[in-house]
Amino acid sequence: MATRKRARLTDAGIARLRPREREFTAWDSRVPGLGVRVRPNGGKSYVLIRTVGGRTRRNSLGATASKGVDEVRQECLTIQAGTGSEAPEATARKAPLFRDFVAGPWHEAHLSHCKPSTRRSVGYVLSARLLPAFGATELDRITATQVERWFDRYSRDAPGGANRAIDLLRQILNFGIACGHLVTNPARGVRRNPRTPLTRFLSRDEIRCLHEALDAASRQGPSQRQQADVIRLLMLTGCRKGEIVNLRWPEVDGAVLALADSKTGPRKVHLNPQARAVLDRQPRGPGPYVFPSPDSPGRPRSDTLGLWLRVRREAGIEDVRLHDLRHNYASHAVMNGVPVPVVSRLLGHRSERMTLRYVHLGDRDVRAAAERVGSAMAELMAGADA
């Protein structure tokens, strides 16, 4: 989702552009709205974003292999000077409303190619946060003061959510610059809220207490039992909350979850016997979801697990977030001798570097490791003396 900074496009630079997992566009710094679209299959084509009659339109200008960038720049100037378009000066004075820009050119260039889960999460941030605050404002009328006040208000209640929203706003406005609608990004100087160190995982005693609290909750009715089993699966698989809440029966294949859509795309989750037992006891309803909504079997249950707040209090772990169960899974995997590359596969990470952020070790385990290394070094040193 990150926007490339504008740079002067050259034929050699275009030839060096390499495809990524998702389609992206490299924008030209000389002609506003001109870019090179690079598809995952390696195809490259020129594209021009322009304003016609107050509306933003996208023009495809052909494959990069068929013409050079200087020829395309001349073509762009001809299009912009034509009878069906507005002069660049007029375009700058008539920047589109934020909501129209997001729904039109930005959506087509960035959001339409994303996987469904990304579209859902971005759509929520847009509808709940960005559009109410900036939707009725023209792009070039959004000020840095306006952005800073909005960000400060949001940060009081949800600093992490505010960080995600400012990143998205900054990306949208950067694309607005690439399209020639504004000169500077008013969100550029806003500093993200500092991240809380991710160092929390559960001790053996805390896991036992949480297990007992979940058992007690399971005896209090179907809704509590369903939520308790969702939490158990998060503990036993290291999955993200959305991967379990939205799990469908067709994705359950014996000892494997074949997830059609996750944060990093389709992936497989290998189940241990304990996780399989949790799934085996789920009733099969008329809908496709393993954990359906009590009110509508054709929909997944809400991802708001109210039970979590109660059981963590009863277990004495009120500082633990639900996502920390994923960190807990990774940490205990490493402490039980599972190599980091394998843990990375278990969590569905693209890189081991991300996995290392999830792995935290207790003092007892670090001390034991230090003793093992010390013993090994002592044997080597004794051999050297002999």
Side-chain angles (χ1 to χ4, degrees):
M1 289 293 295
T3 299
R4 289 176 61 91
K5 293 182 179 180
R6 289 193 300 166
R8 181 176 177 273
L9 292 177
T10 64
D11 293 334
I14 292 172
R16 289 194 296 269
L17 291 174
R18 294 291 178 264
R20 303 174 184 171
E21 184 178 351
R22 299 286 175 183
E23 180 180 297
F24 70 96
T25 303
W27 298 101
D28 187 30
S29 61
R30 297 190 62 181
V31 176
L34 172 61
V36 173
R37 178 191 292 180
V38 183
R39 295 178 175 82
N41 63 5
K44 303 174 189 176
S45 59
Y46 294 107
V47 64
L48 175 65
I49 303 293
R50 63 193 182 104
T51 299
V52 179
R55 299 181 64 183
T56 304
R57 295 186 178 178
R58 186 185 190 95
N59 295 84
S60 295
L61 304 178
T64 58
S66 65
K67 61 186 81 174
V69 68
D70 290 334
E71 180 183 351
V72 173
R73 287 196 182 98
Q74 291 299 320
E75 187 176 345
C76 291
L77 295 176
T78 301
I79 292 174
Q80 291 172 339
T83 56
S85 63
E86 302 177 11
E89 294 78 5
T91 299
R93 290 197 301 271
K94 295 183 179 180
L97 297 179
F98 181 84
R99 64 185 176 217
D100 294 336
F101 182 71
V102 166
W106 179 83
H107 183 281
E108 181 183 354
H110 294 276
L111 196 57
S112 61
H113 309 291
C114 294
K115 58 184 186 293
S117 60
T118 300
R119 290 199 295 269
R120 287 193 298 269
S121 61
V122 170
Y124 171 78
V125 176
L126 286 170
S127 61
R129 296 295 178 176
L130 296 183
L131 293 179
F134 307 105
T137 307
E138 295 175 356
L139 284 181
D140 59 352
R141 296 298 182 92
I142 298 175
T143 66
T145 300
Q146 181 184 5
V147 173
E148 288 171 359
R149 289 176 178 172
W150 163 81
F151 182 74
D152 289 342
R153 287 194 301 269
Y154 191 3
S155 297
R156 292 169 194 164
D157 299 324
N163 283 346
R164 290 188 289 273
I166 194 65
D167 288 344
L168 180 60
L169 177 62
R170 189 178 290 116
Q171 190 253 16
I172 292 171
L173 295 178
N174 277 339
F175 185 58
I177 294 174
C179 294
H181 296 309
L182 64 163
V183 177
T184 60
N185 191 331
R188 181 180 180 182
V190 178
R191 298 183 62 179
R192 302 172 88 252
N193 296 304
R195 296 176 58 124
T196 302
L198 303 176
T199 58
R200 187 65 166 97
F201 73 101
L202 303 180
S203 68
R204 292 166 175 79
D205 288 340
E206 288 173 332
I207 292 175
R208 177 182 52 78
C209 291
L210 177 57
H211 174 67
E212 293 173 352
L214 290 171
D215 276 349
S218 295
R219 295 189 287 270
Q220 298 174 5
S223 177
Q224 302 294 297
R225 184 163 55 250
Q226 185 189 66
Q227 292 186 63
D229 280 346
V230 170
I231 295 171
R232 283 193 179 94
L233 279 179
L234 295 176
M235 295 176 63
L236 292 168
T237 64
C239 284
R240 303 173 180 90
K241 179 176 65 173
E243 294 172 343
I244 297 300
V245 170
N246 296 298
L247 183 64
R248 297 169 178 260
W249 283 115
E251 295 175 315
V252 181
D253 184 13
V256 174
L257 300 182
L259 301 180
D261 182 34
S262 71
K263 186 176 180 180
T264 55
R267 76 180 185 99
K268 289 185 178 181
V269 177
H270 294 271
L271 301 173
N272 49 53
Q274 294 78 12
R276 291 173 62 184
V278 173
L279 288 170
D280 289 343
R281 64 173 175 251
Q282 302 309 311
R284 292 263 187 166
Y289 292 99
V290 177
F291 299 103
S293 167
D295 303 320
S296 178
R299 300 172 56 189
R301 69 158 294 114
S302 169
D303 63 1
T304 302
L305 300 175
L307 177 65
W308 172 248
L309 299 180
R310 196 182 89 207
V311 296
R312 73 175 186 176
R313 181 175 63 251
E314 293 173 354
I317 54 172
E318 292 185 80
D319 61 325
V320 177
R321 306 164 305 169
L322 195 60
H323 191 70
D324 287 331
L325 298 182
R326 186 164 159 85
H327 293 253
N328 182 69
Y329 179 87
S331 296
H332 281 277
V334 171
M335 286 188 289
N336 281 279
V338 180
V340 170
V342 177
V343 177
S344 184
R345 289 285 302 276
L346 290 172
L347 296 180
H349 284 157
R350 288 198 179 104
S351 69
E352 295 175 19
R353 181 178 180 182
M354 174 62 72
T355 304
L356 291 173
R357 288 183 51 226
Y358 277 67
V359 174
H360 316 292
L361 303 177
D363 289 341
R364 180 172 61 181
D365 298 279
V366 174
R367 185 166 54 251
E371 291 175 357
R372 289 197 299 272
V373 174
S375 298
M377 291 298 295
E379 291 179 8
L380 292 172
M381 292 167 67
D385 292 339

